[in-house]
Amino acid sequence: MPFFCILLLLNDFYYICIVKRVFVISVILFSVLLPASEKQQKPVAEQQLPFTFDDNLLQIDSLMQTDADSALMSLTSFRPTEGSGEISSTFNANYQSLLISEALFKTNNPHAPIQTAVRFFDSLYACYPNNDAFAMLSARSHYMNGVGFYENDSVVDACKEYLTTLDIMENHFEEKDLVGYKAKFMALTYGRLGELFSDQIMPEQTIYCYKKALHYCKIKSTSKYGVSIFLYKLGVEYDVLKQADTALYYYNLAKENLSDSNTRIYRDIVASTSLLLYSLDKNGDSIFPHLKRIIAQTDNEDEVVTRYISVGYIYYKEKAYDSAMYYFEKVFYKKKDFLSKCAPAEYLRNIYLYLGDTVKSYEYSAYLADNTSQQYDNYVNISRLASLFQNYFYKGQNDVTHSKRIVIILCTLFVLGIAIFVYIRLRTNKLLLESHNSAQKKRESLLSEPVCKDIFSMVGQLNLSARDNYYKYNISLSDDIITDLHSAVLKYSENFDAVLFSKCSDLNNNDLLICYLLLLGLNEKQIATLRHRTYYAIKKQVRKVEKQLDIKDNLSDYIISILYT
C-alpha cells in the first residue's frame, strides 16, 4: 500500500511539473521571439527640488546599514524639523515610513505593506526620472511593500512588488553602476524572489533568481555568509531537479566559501549533502554520524526538529519504521505550517498502513485531504507567478508581430488548459481516498481468511533473528496450505498471477509463493522459517524476483499494491 500512495503523490507532483515546465517553455519562446528593448535615455537636465531631505533621516538611513536596532530607536523618537514647509514635511514623513519598515524587517519585527509611501515615491520618481535618489527610494519602497505582502501570505502581490523593484533598478541604472549598496540591494531582491518561487516549487525560475542574486552578492555581499547561502540554495534547487552532480558541485562550493563550521548554514549544507549521498548509495550507516553530529551542535529547537525530518527519512528507507515514526511524529506535532507537516504526514500514513493500523493511517490521509484546497491555491499561484515572471522579461515590448501574438495566445491557452486539468485532478482526491479505503478492506478480508490466520499462528509469536537456525522450528507449509493460500489470493485479486507474469513469464512456483507470503505482510525471516531456508537464501530470492519484475523499490510494497490496482 505505501507503494500505491507514493504513486498517487508522484502523480500530483507530475502534474505540477507539467505546469512548471510549460511556463519555462513559454519563457524560452518569448525570449527568442521578442526583441530586447533599448533602455530609454534619461533626460540630463537637472531639476530643482521643491523640498529638502531631513539631515537626521539621512543619518539614520546611513546608520541602518550597520545597526538596525539603533536606527529603529532613533526613528521612533524622530520629529520633523520645524519650519521645513508642508512639502518637505510630507516627503520626510514618507521617507520615515520607509525607514521604519526597513528597520522593523531587519530587527525581525512584524510589519505591514507601506502602500502610501509606495504611491508617493512612485509619483515623485515620475516627476524626477533623472534623480538617482528618487529611483532608489521608489525601488526600496516597492521592495519593503513586497516584504510586507509576503509576510501576510499575499504571494502574488509580493512577487509583483519584487519584480517592480528590479524593473526600476535595471531600467534606471546601467549594469556598471550596480555596485556597492545598489549591488547588495539587487542581491537581496533577487534572493527574496528566489525564495518566493522556491516555496511554490518552481525550480527553474528559482535558479534564475538565485544565480542573479549570487552575481550581485559577489560584487557586494549581503552578509558574512551571503555567497555561501546562495550557493547552497542553488544546490538545493538542483537537488529538487534530481541533478545530483550539479547539486553536489554547489554544496561543495558553499562549504568551501565558509570560514566557520559552527553556523546554521554549514549544518544545512552537511545535512543536504548527506541526504543526497544517501540517495545515491543507500548507505545509512555512513550518514547517521554526520546528521547526529550537526544536531548536537545546536540548541535551537526549531532547527533540531527540522533535522529530524532527515533522520526519519533515512530510517524510513532502511525500513526501521519504529524509529522513523518517532522522528516523523516529533516533526508533525511540533511544526505548525502545512509545508513542514506534509512530508511527515505522508510517511506516517504509509508506515501505519504497512503495519495494518488503518485508523492511524486514515488520520494522516484525512489531514492531507483536508489541505487539498491549499494545494490548489498553490497551483493557482504558480500560474499567476509564471505570468508575472514572463511579463517582467517582456515589459515595454510594443512591436509584437502577428505571429508573435499567435504564440502568446497558444501558450496562454496551453497554460490554462493544464491549469484546468490540474484542478480537475485535485477534485478527484476524495474519490481516490474512497477507493483506497475500499482496497484496504479487501486486504483486511484476505488477511482474515482461515489459511492466512493459520500461517500467522505459525510464525507470528516467534522472535526471529537473521542468524537463527530455522530447522530447529518444527514449522512448514504443506501443499494443502499453499493451495489454499493461492486460492485465497485469487479470490480477492483474480489477476494477481497475471500481473506478475505480464512483467516476467519466467517466474516459477517458488517465486509466486514468495510473493503470496509478502502479500500477507510477512518479513524475510518469517518466510525463511516457513520455507525451511536460511534468511540469506530468501533475501537472495527476493532480490532475484525484484530484478525479474524490474522493480526499483521494495518488492513487498509492489506486491501489496497489486491489490489496489
Side-chain angles (χ1 to χ4, degrees):
M1 183 54 202
F3 182 84
F4 173 75
C5 294
I6 292 171
L7 281 178
L8 292 180
L9 294 171
L10 287 177
N11 277 341
D12 286 340
F13 182 72
Y14 172 73
Y15 295 120
I16 297 173
C17 289
I18 290 177
V19 178
K20 173 187 64 181
R21 297 190 190 287
V22 167
F23 296 141
V24 175
I25 292 171
S26 300
V27 169
I28 294 173
L29 286 173
F30 285 132
S31 63
V32 171
L33 293 174
L34 296 181
S37 63
E38 296 287 338
K39 288 186 181 179
Q40 293 184 353
Q41 294 296 320
K42 299 190 291 282
V44 296
E46 292 291 333
Q47 294 173 281
Q48 185 66 35
L49 301 181
F51 53 83
T52 58
F53 283 83
D54 190 291
D55 288 338
N56 291 327
L57 286 180
L58 289 173
Q59 292 175 7
I60 294 172
D61 196 349
S62 179
L63 177 64
M64 182 89 68
Q65 310 310 315
T66 56
D67 190 351
D69 288 300
S70 297
L72 181 59
M73 291 180 63
S74 299
L75 285 167
T76 55
S77 60
F78 170 78
R79 293 294 179 271
T81 303
E82 294 185 6
S84 59
E86 182 178 350
I87 298 178
S88 292
S89 296
T90 302
F91 170 81
N92 288 307
N94 283 282
Y95 188 21
Q96 181 185 11
S97 175
L98 170 61
L99 293 178
I100 289 175
S101 180
E102 290 181 339
L104 288 172
F105 172 58
K106 291 183 177 183
T107 55
N108 299 315
N109 287 296
H111 62 289
I114 50 170
Q115 291 163 317
T116 301
V118 168
R119 288 191 293 268
F120 178 83
F121 288 121
D122 278 350
S123 62
L124 189 62
Y125 177 45
C127 294
Y128 300 92
N130 191 43
N131 191 296
D132 291 350
F134 296 161
M136 280 301 304
L137 287 172
S138 179
R140 287 167 63 182
S141 64
H142 278 286
Y143 175 83
M144 291 312 304
N145 208 37
V147 171
F149 278 127
Y150 195 74
E151 292 189 356
N152 285 279
D153 297 323
S154 299
V155 176
V156 175
D157 289 330
C159 182
K160 290 178 182 177
E161 294 298 283
Y162 294 146
L163 290 175
T164 301
T165 300
L166 295 174
D167 188 57
I168 293 170
M169 294 295 292
E170 292 171 348
N171 280 284
H172 183 87
F173 297 102
E174 297 291 338
E175 182 66 26
K176 62 182 177 61
D177 297 325
L178 294 175
V179 295
Y181 172 75
K182 289 191 282 291
K184 178 180 178 180
F185 182 64
M186 292 291 288
L188 290 171
T189 306
Y190 271 117
R192 295 284 299 187
L193 196 56
E195 291 175 10
L196 184 151
F197 285 132
S198 180
D199 288 345
Q200 303 303 313
I201 319 177
M202 301 170 70
E204 281 84 0
Q205 290 90 338
T206 304
I207 287 171
Y208 172 85
C209 291
Y210 281 155
K211 284 185 175 180
K212 295 288 284 187
L214 178 63
H215 165 73
Y216 289 110
C217 192
K218 288 180 177 179
I219 298 173
K220 179 66 175 179
S221 184
T222 55
S223 67
K224 182 179 179 181
Y225 309 115
V227 171
S228 286
I229 289 172
F230 287 124
L231 286 169
Y232 167 68
K233 289 180 176 181
L234 280 167
V236 170
E237 296 307 314
Y238 281 110
D239 207 341
V240 170
L241 292 174
K242 305 300 181 185
Q243 298 181 25
D245 291 341
T246 307
L248 284 173
Y249 168 77
Y250 279 106
Y251 288 154
N252 290 331
L253 277 183
K255 191 184 294 185
E256 290 170 6
N257 274 272
L258 280 176
S259 57
D260 185 1
S261 62
N262 189 25
T263 59
R264 173 69 182 264
I265 180 61
Y266 177 84
R267 294 190 289 272
D268 287 340
I269 296 169
V270 172
S272 296
T273 304
S274 298
L275 283 178
L276 178 55
L277 292 175
Y278 174 77
S279 71
L280 296 176
D281 62 20
K282 305 295 184 184
N283 186 1
D285 293 337
S286 65
I287 302 302
F288 278 126
H290 297 293
L291 293 177
K292 291 180 179 178
R293 175 168 55 83
I294 62 175
I295 290 175
Q297 287 179 347
T298 180
D299 295 327
N300 185 288
E301 183 180 6
D302 183 69
E303 181 182 348
V304 170
V305 173
T306 300
R307 305 291 178 222
Y308 283 170
I309 298 177
S310 303
V311 178
Y313 171 79
I314 295 178
Y315 275 126
Y316 177 81
K317 287 297 182 180
E318 294 292 316
K319 300 181 182 178
Y321 294 135
D322 288 342
S323 298
M325 287 166 54
Y326 170 81
Y327 286 103
F328 285 142
E329 286 179 341
K330 285 275 189 183
V331 178
F332 184 83
Y333 290 109
K334 286 184 177 292
K335 289 288 187 180
K336 302 300 181 184
D337 60 295
F338 173 72
L339 287 178
S340 298
K341 295 162 74 78
C342 179
E346 292 171 1
Y347 289 125
L348 287 167
R349 175 185 64 181
N350 296 343
I351 290 172
Y352 280 115
L353 193 60
Y354 179 80
L355 296 177
D357 190 338
T358 55
V359 175
K360 292 292 291 183
S361 176
Y362 181 80
E363 287 180 9
Y364 291 108
S365 295
Y367 171 80
L368 293 169
D370 289 344
N371 285 274
T372 296
S373 60
Q374 182 173 341
Q375 291 177 316
Y376 173 66
D377 289 341
N378 287 342
Y379 295 137
V380 173
N381 282 342
I382 289 174
S383 177
R384 298 176 66 186
L385 291 173
S387 177
L388 289 172
F389 193 64
Q390 291 172 356
N391 292 337
Y392 163 66
F393 280 112
Y394 316 120
K395 184 178 180 181
Q397 304 298 321
N398 297 317
D399 299 325
V400 181
T401 64
H402 179 68
S403 60
K404 295 170 188 174
R405 292 180 186 277
I406 291 176
V407 171
I408 295 172
I409 293 171
L410 289 177
C411 289
T412 303
L413 291 176
F414 190 33
V415 169
L416 288 175
I418 293 297
I420 292 171
F421 180 70
V422 171
Y423 173 73
I424 294 173
R425 170 69 183 175
L426 291 174
R427 288 288 296 270
T428 63
N429 275 0
K430 287 187 178 180
L431 294 176
L432 288 174
L433 188 59
E434 292 174 2
S435 174
H436 153 67
N437 291 338
S438 175
Q440 180 62 22
K441 290 179 181 178
K442 186 193 299 184
R443 183 166 184 247
E444 291 173 355
S445 299
L446 168 63
L447 299 181
S448 299
E449 286 289 319
V451 64
C452 297
K453 291 182 177 179
D454 291 342
I455 293 173
F456 291 144
S457 67
M458 294 181 189
V459 294
Q461 302 301 319
L462 297 180
N463 186 16
L464 302 171
S465 71
R467 302 187 180 201
D468 270 351
N469 181 355
Y470 299 110
Y471 295 101
K472 71 181 181 182
Y473 300 106
N474 188 21
I475 297 174
S476 64
L477 293 177
S478 66
D479 292 341
D480 290 341
I481 290 179
I482 294 174
T483 301
D484 291 344
L485 176 59
H486 178 243
S487 300
V489 170
L490 295 186
K491 176 181 176 182
Y492 294 100
S493 180
E494 59 184 15
N495 294 323
F496 187 85
D497 290 359
V499 171
L500 295 177
F501 283 125
S502 69
K503 300 200 71 172
C504 178
S505 59
D506 295 334
L507 295 175
N508 56 40
N509 289 335
N510 285 329
D511 296 332
L512 288 175
L513 181 56
I514 288 289
C515 294
Y516 297 156
L517 295 174
L518 288 174
L519 180 61
L520 301 187
L522 299 181
N523 59 40
E524 291 164 349
K525 299 170 190 174
Q526 294 170 322
I527 294 174
T529 303
L530 291 170
R531 300 292 295 142
H532 276 204
R533 305 276 299 281
T534 67
Y535 165 76
Y536 298 102
I538 292 299
K539 191 175 184 68
K540 183 177 180 181
Q541 186 178 1
V542 169
R543 299 298 169 265
K544 184 199 78 170
V545 175
E546 286 179 341
K547 185 174 181 180
Q548 288 177 305
L549 297 177
D550 192 25
I551 296 172
K552 305 299 183 185
D553 215 340
N554 181 276
L555 177 61
S556 178
D557 286 350
Y558 172 73
I559 292 300
I560 294 174
S561 74
I562 296 177
L563 276 180
Y564 297 85
T565 58

